[in-house]
Amino acid sequence: MKTMIKRMICMVVVAAMVCAYALGTTNARVKIKKPEVSVNQMGNFLAGKVSKKDAKAKKPKKTETVYIELNGDGGVKSATVSDLLEVKGKDPIKDKSSLKDIKNLKGDEKYTNKDGNLIWENKGKDITYQGTSDQTPPISVDISYTLDGQDISAKDLEGKSGELQIQYSFKNNARTKGHDFVPFLILGGFMLDNETFNNVQIDNGKVADYDESKIVLGYAVPGLEDYLEKSIKGADEYLNKIDLSDSFTISADVKDCSMSMGLIIATSNIGDFNIKDAIDLSNIKSKMKQLQDGADALVDGTNQLSDGADKLSDASSKVKKGSSKLTKGLKKVSKGTKKFHKGNKKFHKGLKKGLKSAKSGAKKLADGSDKLAKGAKDVNDGVKKVDNGASSLDSGTKELSGGVEQILNGFEKKGGINDGAKALKNGTKSANDGVKKLVEMLKTTPSSLDEQINQVLAQVKQASGGAISTEEQLSALIEGINSAVKGGTPLETVLAAKGLNANTYFALVQAYYAIQTLESVKAALASKISSHSEEITALVNGMQELEDGSSALTTGLNTVYGGLYSLSQGASALSEGTGTLKNGTSQLSKGTDSLKSGADTLNSGMAKLYSGVKVMTVKLGGVSPQLVTASSKLKSAMAQVYAGSKQLSKGMVPFCNGIDTLNDGTKQLKDGASKLNNEGIKKITSLFGKKADEAIDNIQDLLDAGSSYKSFSGISDDMDGQVKFIYKTPEIGAWE
C-alpha cells in the first residue's frame, strides 16, 4: 500500500514535469545583436499553439499567455497578456477580461466593453488580442544573488568575478473556486556563456552543453510538498525521497559578470486525466478482497487438511496392523496348502500302490488305508489353519477399507482440501494479474513522450512548409544559423538566405529546445525505470512463481486424491474377495472333517473294500491324479498370495511413515498459513482499505484544481480556458 501511495505521488510530479517541458524554453541570446522580435511576439506564437484535443473541444476556448517582466529582485515590472479566442459558429463572441489597452493583433474585428464583459465581432476567424494588467500574478518570484558568500544586488553584480549563486524562489498564491490550493509547475531556462561562466551547477534541474554556451534548466513546484503532507496520510514517508522544492539555485564561477535574460514558465495544467479511471481502483480493491478471501480459505483448508491428516494417521496404524494380520494369515494358509498337497500326493501314491497290490494281499491294502487315514488328518489340520488365516485376512481388509474412506472424506467434503487448494490457486492468479497491469502502465510512460516529440515535429513541418520534418533537419538548420551569426553575419541576412522570417525562426528555435528537453526527460524516465528493473523483475517473477506453486499444489493434491480413490476401490474389492475366501475355507474345513471320518471308516472296513477293489481301481485311478494336480495349483497360488502379502506388509511401513510425515507437515502448513494471514494478508488488505480511497480522492482533487485555473485576466462561464505565465528575468551588463 505504501508503494501504491508513493507511485501516485510520483505520478503527479512526473505529469507536472512532462507538461511543463512540453511548453519548451527560449534562450534569450548569445553574444549577438538582439533580434527585432519582442518577447510579446514570441508569446503570441506560444499562445497560438492549440493541441488537437483542444481543437475538438465542444466549448469555445480561450488560450491565455501572460508575459511578466521582472526587476532584478524578482518584483513585477510590467505584465502583458495575449489572448487567443477560438471562434465557434457565427454568433458574436462573449468574452470577459480585466485587461487595459486592449488591441486586436491579427484581424480587424471590433468589440464592445461593458464592465469587463467583451462582445467581439465574429468573422469566422480566431481572434488574437493583447492588453496590459496590474493584477498580482498567482506565482510570485524572489531572486537573490551572492558573490563569494556575500549578498549582492543585480545592479552591483555587473563586471564582478568570483563564486556566484543565484537563487530563484517561488511562492504559490493561486486559488480557485472550490480549491484552496492550485498546483503550479515552474520551469526556468537560461543561456550562460562559457567565457563568463564555468563549473555551472543547479540543484533542481539540469545543465547541458550547447556550442560555446551552457543551457541551464531549473524546475520547482511551490507549495506542493506541504499540500501533499497535509492531504495524504503517510505521504511524508516518501516526500523526503522526492525533490519537490519551492526554488532552484544556479551556482558557477563567474568572470566579468554579464548575463542575458532568462525565461521562467509557470503552468497549472499538470494533469488532464481521471486518475480513478486510469488506475481502476475498484478492480484493485476487488483483487485485494479476492486475495483476502483466498487467504481465509487457505487457513480453513489447512485446518481441514490437518484434521484429515490426523485421521489418516490414525487410520494408517489400523491399515498397518491389518496388513500384518493379512500376512500372518496367508502364511498359515500357504503352509496348510503345502501340507494338503503333500498329504494328497501321499494319498495318491498310497492309493495307487494299494490298488496295484490289492490282488497280492490284504495286508498291503491295510497299510495303504492306514497311510490314507494319516494323510486325511494332515489335510484336515491344514485346512483349519487356512480357515483361521482367511478370517484374519477378512478383518484386516475391512479395517483398510474404512481408513481409506475417512481419508477421502477429508478431501471431498465442502471446505476441505480440494476447496482450499482451488481458492489458493484463484487468489494467487488474481494478485499476479494486478501486478502485471501495474508493470504494463510503467512500460507505456516513455511512449507518451515520443508522441509529444512527434507533435512538435508536425508543427515544425507545418511552420516550415514541409521543408523540415525530422530532428536532424531541425538541428542542422538552427545550429547552422547560430554558427553563421556567431561568425559575424547579421541574423537578418542569414534568415533571408534561408528563406525564413523572424517569427518562423523563433518558432523553429522554440521547437528545437522543446524537443531537446523532451528527449532529456525521456532519457531520465528511462533511467529511473531501468535503475529499478531488478525490483520490478523480482516482483513479477515472485508473483509468477507463487501462482505456479499454487497450481502445482492443486495438481499434486488431485494426484493424491486419485491414488486414494483407487486404493479405496481396491480395498473394497479386496474386502469382498477375502470374505468369499473365508466362506470357501470354512466349507473346505467341513469337507476335510468328513474326509478324515471317511478315511477311518475306510480303514475299518478294508475287508469289505477288498471284495470290490477291481471296481474302485477303475474309478479312483482316474480321480486321484486330478486331485493331486488341483492341490498343486492351490499350493502355487497360495504361495503367490503369501509373497504379495509380504510385499504389502513391507510397503505399509514407509506408507505409514509417509502419513506421519504428512501429518507433521500439515500442522506446520496450518501454523504458517495462519501466520501469513494474520501478520501479512490481513494487514495489507486492511491498510489498503483505510488509505487508498483518501489518497486517490486528494490526488484527483489536486489535478482538478490545476485544470480549474483557466484564466488570469477573466473568462466567461461558457468558455473553456488554459493559461500559462512567462516571466522574463533581467539582464546583467551591457550587450551588443
Side-chain angles (χ1 to χ4, degrees), residues 24 44 49 70 75 94 115 117 198 207 214 227 246 260 340 407 413 515 585 633 650 653 662 709:
N44 292 337
K49 294 196 299 182
L70 300 177
K94 296 180 180 180
D115 298 329
N117 295 306
N198 288 295
V207 179
K214 284 184 171 56
Y227 172 81
D246 295 345
S260 62
F340 172 75
I407 297 172
K413 68 180 181 179
I515 290 174
T585 55
K633 291 181 180 180
K650 291 180 180 179
V653 174
L662 173 63
Y709 194 93

Side-chain angles (χ1 to χ4, degrees), residues 252-288:
D253 295 332
V254 64
K255 180 180 179 181
D256 300 329
C257 183
S258 60
M259 182 177 177
S260 62
M261 73 173 187
L263 291 182
I264 298 173
I265 298 176
T267 178
S268 66
N269 188 22
I270 68 172
D272 187 14
F273 62 93
N274 190 313
I275 192 169
K276 289 186 176 180
D277 293 341
I279 293 179
D280 193 7
L281 182 63
S282 62
N283 189 42
I284 294 177
K285 290 172 68 177
S286 174
K287 300 302 181 186
M288 293 300 290

